[in-house]
């Protein structure tokens, strides 16, 4: 599996945990803002400091997906 595919899978999971209509606002903020939505989920591990680069890439892909939906 390519890294891009992995980022896309995590981005989809991330978007499924966020409240509809608030995705962009939440994703544009500090990754700490994701904590209330990811706590207690398998995605919570993305918030540890060692994963800061990974969560940044996942967030970027998630934002691409949000912007793609807006254009549809």
């Amino acid at each position: 599996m390519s890294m891009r595919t992995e980022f896309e899978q995590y981005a989809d999971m991330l978007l499924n945990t966020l409240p509809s209509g608030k995705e962009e606002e939440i994703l544009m903020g500090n990754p700490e803002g994701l904590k209330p939505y990811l706590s207690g989920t398998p995605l919570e591990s993305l918030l540890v400091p060692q994963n800061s680069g990974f969560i940044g890439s996942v967030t970027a892909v998630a934002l691409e997906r949000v912007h793609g939906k807006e254009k549809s």
Side-chain angles (χ1 to χ4, degrees):
M1 174 178 359
S2 74
M3 285 302 291
R4 175 69 185 190
T5 302
E6 190 170 358
F7 295 147
E8 289 170 346
Q9 288 177 341
Y10 275 97
D12 288 340
M13 289 187 291
L14 176 59
L15 288 171
N16 285 329
T17 66
L18 301 178
S20 182
K22 298 279 189 181
E23 300 96 342
E24 183 174 18
E25 177 185 336
I26 295 166
L27 293 170
M28 295 292 291
N30 185 311
E32 278 294 311
L34 294 170
K35 194 172 191 170
Y37 306 102
L38 302 185
S39 292
T41 74
L43 296 175
E44 185 174 22
S45 64
L46 295 177
L47 298 176
V48 297
Q50 298 88 334
N51 287 335
S52 63
F54 191 83
I55 189 66
S57 296
V58 169
T59 299
V61 172
L63 280 168
E64 287 174 10
R65 291 188 182 276
V66 168
H67 292 148
K69 280 188 207 176
E70 291 172 356
K71 291 179 183 177
S72 301

